[in-house]
Amino acid sequence: MRNGFGFDLRSMEIFVETLEQGSQSAAARSLGLKQSSVSQSLANLEQALGVALFKRHSRPLEPTGAGRFFYDRAKHLLDDARSTRRELVSGAFGQLHQVRMALVDSLATAVGQPLIEVIRRHTSDYTL
């Protein structure tokens, strides 16, 4: 791994799938990879992180304490990455996701209505 994290999204995905499937061979089938690729990815991941992620002598595979911690974090990061990809692919960049704004009364009186109209055109989730 050449980044400063010791992991990338693909290695995290392989790790999570391996734990969820209970074996490297099942994860390989699920991900459309060779078992040796899964094994190598996991070995590289453990080496880069400097921790054992699996209890090697248990079947189905079980995580170590570090593995459980990494699994929980990896699930969230992968969910965020998938959501980000979906949003990027959808191309809906004309809309803001959320706008929150506070104005003093005098400014709200002066520009409030036109400002609300502009915000309304660019998002459906706003608070003024």
Side-chain angles (χ1 to χ4, degrees), residues 21-112:
Q21 294 294 324
S23 74
Q24 292 180 16
S25 57
R29 281 190 303 275
S30 175
L31 294 168
L33 300 171
K34 293 181 180 180
Q35 192 274 333
S36 60
S37 297
V38 169
S39 178
Q40 187 64 53
S41 176
L42 295 173
N44 291 343
L45 181 61
E46 287 180 318
Q47 181 180 11
L49 293 173
V51 296
L53 297 172
F54 297 100
K55 296 177 183 176
R56 294 287 182 209
H57 302 292
S58 62
R59 297 291 181 257
L61 283 176
E62 292 181 41
T64 61
R68 173 49 64 185
F69 174 83
F70 190 66
Y71 173 82
D72 292 341
R73 295 293 176 96
K75 287 287 286 183
H76 290 293
L77 288 169
L78 289 168
D79 287 346
D80 284 347
R82 288 180 183 114
S83 175
T84 299
R85 185 176 194 292
R86 276 192 304 274
E87 290 176 34
L88 284 169
V89 170
S90 76
F93 303 113
Q95 289 287 93
L96 300 172
H97 292 285
Q98 185 180 71
V99 174
R100 302 280 183 249
M101 188 177 296
L103 300 172
V104 294
D105 290 342
S106 59
L107 188 57
T109 302
V111 299

